[in-house]
Amino acid sequence: MERAGAVFVGATRYASPLAWARLAPRWRAMVRQMRRMPGYVHHQVYYDPPFTLGTIGWFATREDLMRFARSGVHRELMQWVTDGTENATGGYIRLYELPGAPDGRADSALTATAPAPDVETGADAHP
């Protein structure tokens, strides 16, 4: 298995099980595209009750991770997630990378590239 130099950790709090049903075809398309991307290493999904689904995605380099993040299918999914509160009501994204080596694969611990604030929409949003 290829070593990961960059990791994505994120989660979305979906509005309901119905939102999960609407998510399913978009999610499958995104995963198919992600697996075909250069630098993709692996991903894992996690669940946090009652309606939060998260993803941990490993990529060879930060550039590979960002190439996927900017891809069409991923961008469309993120627009769907953030379109009001019908589909989702909150979430977060964190990016980590191995510092030190030009290709992002140093032999050291992963470090956060930059802290990002949690994002909430609708009634749960904080001004």
Side-chain angles (χ1 to χ4, degrees):
M1 177 188 288
E2 185 175 359
R3 281 190 51 186
V7 178
F8 164 90
V9 180
T12 301
R13 185 176 55 229
Y14 291 93
S16 67
L18 180 59
W20 283 348
R22 292 188 303 254
L23 167 71
R26 292 170 174 87
W27 170 256
R28 284 191 296 274
M30 187 195 69
V31 168
R32 279 192 303 272
Q33 180 180 22
M34 180 172 60
R35 287 181 171 157
R36 290 190 310 261
M37 298 292 290
Y40 167 80
V41 175
H42 181 69
H43 78 280
Q44 184 172 337
V45 176
Y46 64 94
Y47 171 66
D48 186 21
F51 302 123
T52 299
L53 295 175
T55 302
I56 304 170
W58 291 267
F59 290 82
T61 67
R62 185 174 191 276
E63 291 75 27
D64 294 329
L65 187 156
M66 295 308 294
R67 186 178 306 112
F68 166 70
R70 294 180 182 118
S71 68
V73 175
H74 181 260
R75 187 175 33 233
E76 288 172 18
L77 178 62
M78 292 300 98
Q79 289 171 338
W80 176 83
V81 164
T82 59
D83 184 21
T85 59
E86 183 178 346
N87 301 316
T89 60
Y92 72 92
I93 296 171
R94 301 291 186 267
L95 304 179
Y96 300 91
E97 67 181 326
L98 286 171
D103 66 357
R105 291 188 242 170
D107 289 324
S108 62
L110 287 169
T111 59
T113 57
D118 288 347
V119 176
E120 295 195 24
T121 61
D124 293 335
H126 301 285

Coordinates of all heavy atoms in Angstrom, one line a residue, residues 20-55:
W20 N -30.1 11.0 4.0 CA -29.2 9.9 3.7 C -29.6 9.2 2.4 O -28.7 8.9 1.5 CB -29.1 8.9 4.8 CG -28.4 9.3 6.0 CD1 -27.5 10.3 6.1 CD2 -28.3 8.6 7.2 NE1 -27.0 10.3 7.4 CE2 -27.5 9.3 8.1 CE3 -29.0 7.4 7.7 CZ2 -27.2 8.8 9.4 CZ3 -28.8 7.0 9.0 CH2 -27.9 7.7 9.8
A21 N -30.9 9.0 2.2 CA -31.4 8.3 1.0 C -31.0 9.2 -0.2 O -30.7 8.7 -1.3 CB -32.9 8.1 1.1
R22 N -31.2 10.5 -0.1 CA -30.9 11.4 -1.2 C -29.4 11.5 -1.4 O -28.9 11.8 -2.5 CB -31.5 12.8 -0.9 CG -33.0 12.8 -1.0 CD -33.6 14.3 -0.9 NE -33.1 15.0 0.3 CZ -33.9 15.2 1.3 NH1 -35.1 14.8 1.4 NH2 -33.4 15.9 2.4
L23 N -28.6 11.3 -0.4 CA -27.2 11.4 -0.5 C -26.6 10.2 -1.2 O -25.6 10.3 -1.9 CB -26.6 11.4 1.0 CG -25.1 11.1 1.1 CD1 -24.3 12.3 0.6 CD2 -24.8 10.9 2.6
A24 N -27.2 9.0 -1.1 CA -26.6 7.7 -1.5 C -26.1 7.8 -3.0 O -24.9 7.4 -3.2 CB -27.6 6.6 -1.3
P25 N -26.9 8.2 -4.0 CA -26.3 8.1 -5.3 C -25.2 9.1 -5.5 O -24.2 8.8 -6.2 CB -27.5 8.5 -6.2 CG -28.6 8.9 -5.3 CD -28.3 8.5 -3.9
R26 N -25.2 10.3 -4.9 CA -24.2 11.3 -4.9 C -22.9 10.7 -4.3 O -21.8 10.9 -4.8 CB -24.6 12.5 -4.2 CG -25.7 13.3 -4.9 CD -26.2 14.4 -4.0 NE -27.2 15.3 -4.7 CZ -28.5 15.0 -4.8 NH1 -28.9 14.0 -4.2 NH2 -29.3 15.8 -5.4
W27 N -23.1 10.1 -3.1 CA -21.9 9.5 -2.4 C -21.2 8.4 -3.2 O -20.0 8.4 -3.3 CB -22.4 8.9 -1.1 CG -21.4 8.1 -0.4 CD1 -21.3 6.8 -0.3 CD2 -20.2 8.6 0.3 NE1 -20.1 6.4 0.4 CE2 -19.5 7.5 0.8 CE3 -19.7 9.9 0.5 CZ2 -18.3 7.7 1.5 CZ3 -18.5 10.1 1.2 CH2 -17.8 9.0 1.7
R28 N -22.0 7.5 -3.8 CA -21.4 6.4 -4.6 C -20.6 7.0 -5.8 O -19.5 6.6 -6.1 CB -22.5 5.5 -5.1 CG -23.0 4.5 -4.0 CD -23.8 3.4 -4.5 NE -25.1 3.8 -5.1 CZ -26.2 4.1 -4.4 NH1 -26.2 3.9 -3.1 NH2 -27.3 4.4 -5.0
A29 N -21.2 8.0 -6.5 CA -20.5 8.7 -7.6 C -19.2 9.3 -7.1 O -18.1 9.2 -7.8 CB -21.4 9.7 -8.3
M30 N -19.2 10.0 -6.0 CA -18.0 10.6 -5.4 C -16.9 9.6 -5.1 O -15.8 9.8 -5.4 CB -18.3 11.5 -4.2 CG -17.2 12.3 -3.7 SD -17.4 12.9 -2.1 CE -17.3 11.5 -1.1
V31 N -17.3 8.5 -4.4 CA -16.4 7.4 -4.1 C -15.7 6.8 -5.3 O -14.5 6.6 -5.3 CB -17.0 6.4 -3.2 CG1 -16.1 5.2 -3.0 CG2 -17.3 7.0 -1.8
R32 N -16.5 6.6 -6.3 CA -16.0 6.0 -7.6 C -14.9 7.0 -8.1 O -13.8 6.5 -8.5 CB -17.1 5.8 -8.6 CG -17.8 4.5 -8.4 CD -18.7 4.2 -9.6 NE -19.7 5.3 -10.0 CZ -20.9 5.4 -9.5 NH1 -21.3 4.5 -8.6 NH2 -21.7 6.4 -9.8
Q33 N -15.2 8.3 -8.2 CA -14.2 9.2 -8.7 C -13.0 9.3 -7.8 O -11.9 9.3 -8.3 CB -14.9 10.6 -8.8 CG -13.9 11.6 -9.3 CD -14.5 13.0 -9.5 OE1 -15.5 13.3 -8.8 NE2 -13.9 13.8 -10.3
M34 N -13.2 9.3 -6.5 CA -12.1 9.4 -5.5 C -11.1 8.3 -5.7 O -9.9 8.4 -5.7 CB -12.6 9.5 -4.1 CG -11.5 9.6 -3.0 SD -12.2 9.8 -1.4 CE -13.2 8.4 -1.1
R35 N -11.6 7.1 -5.9 CA -10.8 5.9 -6.0 C -10.0 5.9 -7.3 O -8.9 5.3 -7.4 CB -11.6 4.6 -6.0 CG -12.1 4.3 -4.6 CD -12.9 3.0 -4.6 NE -13.2 2.6 -3.2 CZ -14.2 1.9 -2.9 NH1 -15.0 1.4 -3.8 NH2 -14.4 1.6 -1.6
R36 N -10.4 6.6 -8.3 CA -9.7 6.7 -9.6 C -8.7 7.9 -9.6 O -7.9 7.9 -10.5 CB -10.7 7.0 -10.7 CG -11.6 5.8 -11.1 CD -12.3 6.0 -12.4 NE -13.0 7.3 -12.5 CZ -14.3 7.5 -12.2 NH1 -15.1 6.5 -11.9 NH2 -14.9 8.7 -12.3
M37 N -8.7 8.7 -8.6 CA -7.8 9.9 -8.6 C -6.4 9.5 -8.3 O -6.1 8.6 -7.5 CB -8.3 10.9 -7.5 CG -9.6 11.5 -7.7 SD -9.8 12.6 -9.1 CE -8.9 14.0 -8.6
P38 N -5.4 10.2 -9.0 CA -4.0 9.9 -8.7 C -3.7 10.3 -7.2 O -4.2 11.3 -6.7 CB -3.3 10.9 -9.6 CG -4.3 11.3 -10.6 CD -5.6 11.2 -10.0
G39 N -3.0 9.4 -6.5 CA -2.6 9.7 -5.2 C -3.6 9.2 -4.1 O -3.3 9.2 -2.9
Y40 N -4.7 8.7 -4.5 CA -5.7 8.1 -3.6 C -5.1 6.9 -2.9 O -4.5 6.0 -3.6 CB -7.0 7.7 -4.3 CG -7.9 6.8 -3.4 CD1 -8.7 7.4 -2.4 CD2 -7.9 5.5 -3.6 CE1 -9.5 6.6 -1.7 CE2 -8.8 4.7 -2.8 CZ -9.6 5.2 -1.8 OH -10.4 4.5 -1.1
V41 N -5.1 6.8 -1.6 CA -4.6 5.7 -0.9 C -5.7 4.8 -0.3 O -5.8 3.6 -0.5 CB -3.6 6.1 0.2 CG1 -3.1 4.9 1.0 CG2 -2.4 6.9 -0.4
H42 N -6.6 5.4 0.5 CA -7.6 4.7 1.2 C -8.6 5.6 1.8 O -8.3 6.8 2.0 CB -7.0 3.8 2.3 CG -8.0 3.0 3.1 ND1 -8.6 1.9 2.5 CD2 -8.4 3.1 4.3 CE1 -9.4 1.3 3.4 NE2 -9.3 2.0 4.6
H43 N -9.8 5.2 2.1 CA -10.8 6.0 2.9 C -11.6 5.1 3.8 O -11.7 3.9 3.6 CB -11.7 6.8 2.0 CG -12.8 6.0 1.4 ND1 -12.6 5.2 0.3 CD2 -14.1 5.9 1.7 CE1 -13.8 4.6 0.0 NE2 -14.7 5.0 0.8
Q44 N -12.2 5.7 4.8 CA -13.0 5.0 5.8 C -14.1 5.9 6.2 O -13.9 7.1 6.3 CB -12.2 4.6 7.0 CG -12.9 3.8 8.0 CD -11.9 3.3 9.1 OE1 -10.7 3.2 8.9 NE2 -12.5 2.9 10.2
V45 N -15.3 5.3 6.4 CA -16.5 6.1 6.9 C -16.7 5.8 8.3 O -16.5 4.7 8.8 CB -17.7 5.7 6.0 CG1 -18.9 6.4 6.5 CG2 -17.4 6.1 4.5
Y46 N -17.2 6.8 9.1 CA -17.6 6.5 10.4 C -19.0 7.2 10.7 O -19.4 8.1 10.0 CB -16.5 7.0 11.4 CG -16.3 8.5 11.4 CD1 -16.9 9.3 12.3 CD2 -15.3 9.1 10.6 CE1 -16.7 10.7 12.4 CE2 -15.1 10.4 10.6 CZ -15.7 11.2 11.5 OH -15.5 12.6 11.5
Y47 N -19.6 6.7 11.8 CA -21.0 7.1 12.1 C -21.0 7.7 13.6 O -20.4 7.1 14.5 CB -21.9 5.9 12.0 CG -23.3 6.1 12.6 CD1 -24.1 7.0 12.0 CD2 -23.7 5.4 13.7 CE1 -25.4 7.2 12.5 CE2 -25.0 5.5 14.2 CZ -25.8 6.4 13.6 OH -27.1 6.6 14.1
D48 N -21.7 8.8 13.7 CA -21.8 9.4 15.0 C -23.3 9.6 15.2 O -23.9 10.5 14.5 CB -21.0 10.7 15.2 CG -21.1 11.3 16.6 OD1 -21.4 10.6 17.5 OD2 -20.8 12.5 16.7
P49 N -24.0 8.9 16.0 CA -25.5 9.0 16.2 C -25.9 10.4 16.5 O -25.2 11.1 17.2 CB -25.9 8.0 17.3 CG -24.7 7.1 17.4 CD -23.5 7.9 16.9
P50 N -27.1 10.9 16.1 CA -28.1 10.1 15.3 C -27.9 10.2 13.8 O -28.2 9.2 13.1 CB -29.4 10.7 15.7 CG -29.1 12.1 16.0 CD -27.7 12.2 16.5
F51 N -27.4 11.3 13.2 CA -27.4 11.4 11.8 C -26.1 11.9 11.2 O -26.0 12.3 10.1 CB -28.5 12.4 11.3 CG -29.9 12.0 11.8 CD1 -30.6 12.9 12.5 CD2 -30.4 10.8 11.4 CE1 -31.9 12.6 12.9 CE2 -31.7 10.4 11.8 CZ -32.4 11.3 12.6
T52 N -25.0 11.8 11.9 CA -23.7 12.2 11.4 C -22.9 11.1 10.8 O -22.7 10.1 11.3 CB -22.9 12.9 12.5 OG1 -23.6 14.0 13.0 CG2 -21.5 13.4 12.0
L53 N -22.4 11.4 9.5 CA -21.5 10.5 8.8 C -20.3 11.2 8.6 O -20.3 12.4 8.1 CB -22.2 10.0 7.5 CG -23.4 9.2 7.6 CD1 -24.0 8.9 6.2 CD2 -23.1 7.9 8.3
G54 N -19.1 10.5 8.8 CA -17.8 11.2 8.6 C -17.0 10.3 7.7 O -17.2 9.2 7.4
T55 N -15.9 11.0 7.1 CA -15.0 10.3 6.2 C -13.6 10.6 6.7 O -13.3 11.8 7.0 CB -15.2 10.7 4.8 OG1 -16.6 10.5 4.4 CG2 -14.3 10.0 3.8

